[in-house]
Amino acid sequence: MFSTTIRKVGPLVALKSQYGPFISGRFVQGQGEALRFEDPATGSVQIRWQIFSFIALYNPDKGTLLVSVNSPSESEINDAITRGHHAFQSGVWSKASTLHRSNTLFKLARLLHERIPDLAVIESIQTGRPIREMKAQLGRLPEWLEYYAGLIRTQHIGFVAPTQGSLLNYVTRVPLGVVAQITPFNHPMLISVKKLAPALAAGNSVIVKPSELAPISVLEFAALATEAGIPADVLSVLPGASEVGKAIISHPLIRKVDITAGTKTGRAIGSVVGQNLAAFTAELGGKAPVIIFDDADLESAINGTAFAAFVASGQTCVSGTRLLVQDGIYDAFLAGLLAKVKSITERIGDPLNPLSTMGPLISPVAFERVARMMSQTRGKVVAGGSRMKGLSPLDGFDLNHGCFYPPTVVVDVDPKDELFQEEVFGPIVTVTRFKDEASGVALANDCKYGLGASIWTADASRAHRVPAMIEAGLCWVNTHHRNDPSSPWGGMKESGIGRENGIEALESYSQSKSTIINTASPEETRIKDDWFAGDVEEKRYG
């Protein structure tokens, strides 16, 4: 049994000083090679990965060492997948009764609920996101486990096909086998649980590769799953960088890959998955338009837009980054938004302070991307636009050591500008005027992405009409970034393939199987089904 010392991190939270992969129901050492680190002047770290190395995690807000995480070796990756395959074939979970799987997921939901306070602190420390955000987000996660636990009890997933003749054709759904999930840093627990709940409910064995920037909470969750009764080898968590992910997705025993990532990464992974003829679900990049019509409630639109744009420091795929505002309300909206941005900026502080509004970007690499895109825009910056330094006005927290970037507003941006077209993954919004409904919809659709969008209007007819014209898999009206385990989540165009959540997700982790039974008597069968009887009597073919 791999074990390390326990130390306090944050209020009342104990972490191991070192983590390893979670394989066969326990943490193991992980046989990764050495890893080189460079500490730039920012106070954070740059990481140079070697294949199957260990990870050193630093607080994004302070640049101080948090823990180290050993990655698996190539043989350990193969072992985890092979064990998952053997567990699947054994039927210990894949053929367990629906009631048993449901009860186990309900128990896991209860255990997760008990651990939310300290898991929220872990999430805040490893991502830099404010503790208020993480408590609110993690507080909803048991709902996904409960939803799928209930769904497999109540959803009629089999049916009898209306086959002709003396045949009974019943159709059932069966799990796929060993499935792989690649999850990002921005919502470590949320996205992992969203993917794990339907995969486990359907009876699969699961290999999770969490982001190398935020793996701790997902590793802790794996231990909870074992405590709840998920059998050993049914769930493994293999932390590491891209080389670990490549080794997992290219393994021939993997029958499905489910990722949340950028579009470029999604294309690369999809090409590998396709070679193995495995199923593929991908929630990819986004550049969500927020369309604000003249008749919108001004205060609600300002508040909702601020949430859409700046929660998670803009590091979400559905971040409302393109604000499209009708002429009649433009000036009042912009003035109100700038006042809101000023208030948010003044209250950025220690992420563990419940009053803090925003955290830092996840890493120097993320910060450099935001800074580069801002330096190249021809738009006019009217708020933010440069690194935050000094002490926080809120609580005196030292902002110099983390990648803190303020909420930023840019106007007069050409629709062909990179800042209008490309995903930034930071707290940057562009504000663009439009004249009428047709031009607003055209601007909203003038983008290669199609994940999320929101419409702000008091017109009930428009509230139905405009979403039907928007090229996005998710469209909110008078709100933004609302999520529920029952509501399908996924994109159009270059924003992905397939859907998370709801019945679609459960079905995507299974496949149909037809069983066709001849119900004719033996006497009838002998006469009608002897194709080579030597007579010319018409027989059924197929």
Side-chain angles (χ1 to χ4, degrees):
M1 180 70 176
F2 173 54
S3 62
T4 64
T5 58
I6 304 295
R7 63 192 184 90
K8 297 290 184 181
V9 179
L12 305 177
V13 175
L15 287 182
K16 301 175 178 65
S17 60
Q18 186 177 33
Y19 285 82
F22 192 85
I23 300 173
S24 195
R26 62 192 180 92
F27 290 106
V28 299
Q29 179 70 43
Q31 302 300 317
E33 298 174 358
L35 177 66
R36 291 177 57 195
F37 299 93
E38 293 181 358
D39 190 352
T42 61
S44 190
V45 292
Q46 289 179 342
I47 301 174
R48 291 184 179 177
W49 295 103
Q50 294 179 9
I51 189 167
F52 310 124
S53 53
F54 72 85
I55 308 165
L57 293 181
Y58 287 71
N59 293 65
D61 53 308
K62 297 179 182 177
T64 55
L65 180 65
L66 182 57
V67 299
S68 63
V69 181
N70 286 2
S71 292
S73 66
E74 189 166 12
S75 64
E76 287 173 319
I77 293 172
N78 182 68
D79 180 58
I81 296 172
T82 302
R83 285 174 175 271
H85 178 64
H86 289 161
F88 181 80
Q89 289 186 317
S90 76
V92 64
W93 184 252
S94 61
K95 291 184 173 62
S97 70
T98 298
L99 182 61
H100 175 72
R101 291 204 304 268
S102 175
N103 286 339
T104 304
L105 290 176
F106 273 123
K107 182 177 181 181
L108 179 55
R110 292 193 297 271
L111 292 174
L112 175 58
H113 179 77
E114 294 170 1
R115 286 288 309 278
I116 283 170
D118 55 301
L119 286 171
V121 173
I122 294 172
E123 290 268 275
S124 180
I125 291 171
Q126 69 179 350
T127 64
R129 291 181 59 181
I131 187 65
R132 179 168 173 253
E133 284 185 9
M134 303 324 298
K135 283 184 176 179
Q137 186 178 89
L138 267 63
R140 299 214 38 219
L141 296 194
E143 295 176 29
W144 268 261
L145 296 165
E146 292 164 349
Y147 171 79
Y148 285 104
L151 188 62
I152 58 175
R153 287 192 183 202
T154 58
Q155 178 70 13
H156 299 294
I157 57 176
F159 65 94
V160 175
T163 308
Q164 300 179 45
S166 301
L167 298 172
L168 173 64
N169 183 177
Y170 62 86
V171 182
T172 55
R173 298 198 69 86
V174 296
L176 301 175
V178 185
V179 300
Q181 300 173 343
I182 312 293
T183 61
F185 71 83
N186 54 340
H187 309 289
M189 281 284 289
L190 170 64
I191 293 177
S192 292
V193 172
K194 279 174 66 177
K195 295 180 188 298
L196 276 167
L200 290 172
N204 298 283
S205 296
V206 189
I207 307 292
V208 181
K209 205 290 287 183
S211 169
E212 63 272 21
L213 299 175
I216 309 172
S217 54
V218 181
L219 287 163
E220 290 281 352
F221 178 78
L224 275 184
T226 296
E227 183 180 347
I230 302 295
D233 301 322
V234 168
L235 173 61
S236 295
V237 178
L238 307 181
S242 60
E243 295 298 340
V244 173
K246 289 176 184 176
I248 295 170
I249 65 170
S250 60
H251 198 287
L253 290 177
I254 296 296
R255 302 315 311 143
K256 175 183 170 73
V257 175
D258 187 343
I259 68 166
T260 297
T263 298
K264 181 179 178 180
T265 300
R267 281 200 175 97
I269 291 176
S271 65
V272 175
V273 175
Q275 291 177 6
N276 285 338
L277 301 179
F280 188 43
T281 296
E283 195 255 72
L284 304 177
K287 192 71 179 175
V290 178
I291 309 176
I292 302 161
F293 288 96
D294 285 344
D295 62 354
D297 180 79
L298 181 62
E299 184 176 355
S300 297
I302 291 169
N303 293 338
T305 296
F307 176 79
F310 305 128
V311 72
S313 299
Q315 298 172 118
T316 76
C317 295
V318 294
S319 181
T321 57
R322 295 184 295 142
L323 312 186
L324 311 175
V325 188
Q326 197 165 14
D327 284 332
I329 201 174
Y330 181 91
D331 291 336
F333 174 84
L334 182 59
L337 178 64
L338 292 176
K340 176 67 75 172
V341 163
K342 182 175 184 291
S343 172
I344 294 170
T345 304
E346 291 172 346
R347 290 178 291 129
I348 294 176
D350 185 347
L352 292 178
N353 182 343
L355 298 177
S356 183
T357 52
M358 266 179 47
L361 298 175
I362 189 67
S363 70
V365 172
F367 183 91
E368 289 164 7
R369 172 180 168 81
V370 170
R372 178 189 62 77
M373 294 183 72
M374 284 296 299
S375 70
Q376 295 177 351
T377 184
R378 294 184 179 181
K380 179 182 178 182
V381 179
V382 294
S386 60
R387 186 182 194 126
M388 298 185 71
K389 297 181 180 179
L391 302 181
S392 163
L394 174 69
D395 55 17
F397 187 81
D398 191 347
L399 303 174
N400 293 300
H401 298 302
C403 298
F404 285 90
Y405 203 92
T408 296
V409 181
V410 187
V411 299
D412 301 333
V413 176
D414 189 294
K416 302 304 179 186
D417 193 304
E418 181 186 37
L419 206 60
F420 190 92
Q421 291 291 333
E422 294 293 338
E423 188 173 43
V424 180
F425 234 59
I428 317 295
V429 298
T430 62
V431 187
T432 304
R433 293 178 180 267
F434 70 90
K435 182 180 179 180
D436 53 26
E437 184 176 296
S439 60
V441 170
L443 281 169
N445 289 335
D446 184 19
C447 183
K448 63 185 178 183
Y449 298 111
L451 182 56
S454 62
I455 312 298
W456 296 80
T457 181
D459 186 325
S461 176
R462 177 183 286 140
H464 291 275
R465 182 176 63 251
V466 172
M469 295 186 282
I470 298 299
E471 297 167 354
L474 299 152
C475 198
W476 297 280
V477 179
N478 295 330
T479 189
H480 196 101
H481 202 167
R482 298 305 184 192
N483 196 2
D484 189 88
S486 65
S487 178
W489 180 284
M492 297 179 178
K493 300 192 284 192
E494 294 189 19
S495 286
I497 299 171
R499 294 293 182 265
E500 297 178 329
N501 293 350
I503 296 172
E504 284 183 79
L506 181 65
E507 291 187 343
S508 77
Y509 276 102
S510 63
Q511 55 194 331
S512 63
K513 179 175 181 176
S514 281
T515 301
I516 303 98
I517 300 173
N518 178 15
T519 59
S521 68
E523 294 77 14
E524 184 182 357
T525 301
R526 294 189 203 110
I527 297 171
K528 290 187 175 182
D529 287 358
D530 186 359
W531 182 267
F532 297 102
D535 54 37
V536 293
E537 184 178 343
E538 186 175 331
K539 308 286 186 183
R540 175 173 174 168
Y541 184 93

